[in-house]
């Protein structure tokens, strides 16, 4: 029977990062690259410019990425998909064998698999489902897309993927109780959003503290009143708020008990 000292959480961190656009979810990854981690980024937002500007040449050499977006064209004044959607199958192909890094199932604790963002990935899954199944009832498309997104979350959560995981997501507000709105990760439809955090032992919120010239981007590890954040360590082991510039490296160290 395994001892708790050998639990995988001692070696790797699987984290959900939520926040509105522009709060620093992508730029914060610079701290991990600077700390020596190798990053494999599944880029669905085409928003990696900040990493180029926020990292040293040595850190940039540890960042690998694949930008995954659909081709589109104009038809009768409308922007539509150009051909069969490819984001979902290409994502699975990369997980099975990333050209420079090999199968994700062989990655170790010195690597971080990044999914940026879950929101855009879920949208791509929905488009693939609609193009593949042609359900007459669109509710079936939503259900099938949610199932496939949740299956991927389950895979990332499982020991089959033995590396660190960082999943970024935008926020959506859902009225579960009349008159009361609550923030959840933005995916497809309402049913899946409240369940996403179940697949992560650590969930942090990115937001902007203050306004104007003194405003700063921060990572909250404690309750904010917006999102149900949590960390896989005692609250006393990590500050309740961390600067975006260095916060992820600090948090990974606190969660794993030592630097990489």
């Amino acid at each position: 029977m395994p001892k708790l000292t050998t639990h995988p959480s001692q070696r790797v961190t699987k984290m959900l990062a939520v926040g509105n656009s522009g709060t620093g979810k992508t730029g914060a990854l610079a701290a991990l690259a600077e700390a020596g981690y190798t990053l494999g980024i599944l880029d669905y937002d085409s928003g990696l410019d900040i990493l180029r500007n926020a990292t040293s040449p040595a850190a940039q050499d540890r960042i690998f990425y694949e930008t995954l977006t659909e081709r589109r064209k104009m038809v009768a004044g409308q922007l539509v998909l150009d051909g069969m959607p490819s984001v979902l199958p290409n994502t699975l192909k990369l997980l099975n064998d990333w050209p420079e890094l090999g199968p994700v199932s062989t990655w170790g604790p010195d690597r971080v698999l990044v999914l940026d963002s879950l929101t855009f990935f879920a949208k791509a899954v929905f488009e693939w489902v609609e193009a593949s199944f042609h359900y007459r009832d669109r509710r079936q498309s939503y259900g099938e897309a949610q199932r496939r997104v949740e299956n991927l979350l389950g895979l990332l959560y499982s020991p089959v993927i033995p590396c660190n995981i960082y999943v970024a997501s935008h926020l959506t507000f859902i009225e579960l109780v009349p008159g009361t709105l609550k923030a959840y990760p933005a995916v497809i439809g309402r049913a899946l959003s409240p369940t996403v955090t179940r697949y992560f032992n650590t969930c942090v919120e990115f937001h902007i503290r203050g306004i104007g010239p003194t405003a700063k981007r921060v990572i909250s590890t404690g309750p904010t009143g917006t999102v149900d954040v949590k960390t896989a360590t005692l609250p006393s082991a990590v500050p309740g708020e961390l600067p975006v510039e260095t916060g992820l490296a600090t948090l990974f160290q606190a969660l794993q008990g030592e630097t990489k």
Side-chain angles (χ1 to χ4, degrees), residues 36-115:
Y37 289 92
T38 296
L39 275 57
I41 305 176
L42 297 169
D43 170 34
Y44 305 101
D45 293 18
S46 297
L48 299 184
D49 312 47
I50 181 63
L51 283 182
R52 177 77 177 183
N53 300 323
T55 49
S56 65
Q60 291 175 18
D61 201 46
R62 290 188 286 271
I63 300 175
F64 298 81
Y65 73 94
E66 291 287 343
T67 298
L68 300 160
T69 57
E70 303 292 4
R71 293 183 303 166
R72 301 183 188 274
K73 61 184 179 181
M74 293 294 295
V75 176
Q78 299 291 323
L79 192 62
V80 299
L81 287 168
D82 183 9
M84 184 67 185
S86 61
V87 166
L88 176 58
N90 284 342
T91 294
L92 299 178
K93 183 178 179 181
L94 284 165
L95 293 178
N96 285 326
D97 192 8
W98 197 298
E100 299 89 350
L101 301 173
V104 175
S105 60
T106 66
W107 294 11
D110 61 334
R111 294 184 180 180
V112 185
L113 174 64
V114 178
L115 197 153

Side-chain angles (χ1 to χ4, degrees), residues 106-129:
T106 66
W107 294 11
D110 61 334
R111 294 184 180 180
V112 185
L113 174 64
V114 178
L115 197 153
D116 188 9
S117 67
L118 178 64
T119 304
F120 278 77
F121 170 72
K123 181 177 183 293
V125 172
F126 181 76
E127 290 179 329
W128 182 87
V129 166

Side-chain angles (χ1 to χ4, degrees), residues 66-239:
E66 291 287 343
T67 298
L68 300 160
T69 57
E70 303 292 4
R71 293 183 303 166
R72 301 183 188 274
K73 61 184 179 181
M74 293 294 295
V75 176
Q78 299 291 323
L79 192 62
V80 299
L81 287 168
D82 183 9
M84 184 67 185
S86 61
V87 166
L88 176 58
N90 284 342
T91 294
L92 299 178
K93 183 178 179 181
L94 284 165
L95 293 178
N96 285 326
D97 192 8
W98 197 298
E100 299 89 350
L101 301 173
V104 175
S105 60
T106 66
W107 294 11
D110 61 334
R111 294 184 180 180
V112 185
L113 174 64
V114 178
L115 197 153
D116 188 9
S117 67
L118 178 64
T119 304
F120 278 77
F121 170 72
K123 181 177 183 293
V125 172
F126 181 76
E127 290 179 329
W128 182 87
V129 166
E130 285 212 305
S132 299
F133 294 97
H134 306 288
Y135 290 122
R136 298 179 64 179
D137 186 343
R138 211 173 191 209
R139 289 175 297 182
Q140 292 179 281
S141 295
Y142 278 99
E144 182 64 23
Q146 290 168 350
R147 184 181 68 81
R148 289 176 182 269
V149 171
E150 190 166 13
N151 283 347
L152 180 70
L153 293 175
L155 174 66
L156 299 181
Y157 175 78
S158 75
V160 173
I161 307 296
C163 64
N164 300 287
I165 301 291
Y166 179 89
V167 175
S169 176
H170 298 87
L171 288 172
T172 187
F173 286 85
I174 299 176
E175 186 179 33
L176 297 180
V177 179
T180 302
L181 293 175
K182 187 172 179 59
Y184 293 101
V187 284
I188 289 294
R190 292 181 42 165
L192 180 58
S193 289
T195 71
V196 170
T197 56
R198 298 177 188 174
Y199 292 95
F200 301 89
N201 290 330
T202 296
C203 173
V204 297
E205 181 187 359
F206 283 69
H207 58 98
I208 299 175
R209 176 78 68 200
I211 58 174
T214 61
K216 60 180 181 178
R217 293 174 174 83
V218 298
I219 306 171
S220 290
T221 65
T224 65
T226 305
V227 184
D228 291 332
V229 299
K230 56 183 177 178
T231 58
T233 187
L234 294 174
S236 59
V238 61

Side-chain angles (χ1 to χ4, degrees), residues 4-15:
L4 193 57
T5 53
T6 65
H7 194 272
S9 64
Q10 297 294 319
R11 300 185 300 275
V12 299
T13 297
K14 300 197 175 185
M15 180 184 299

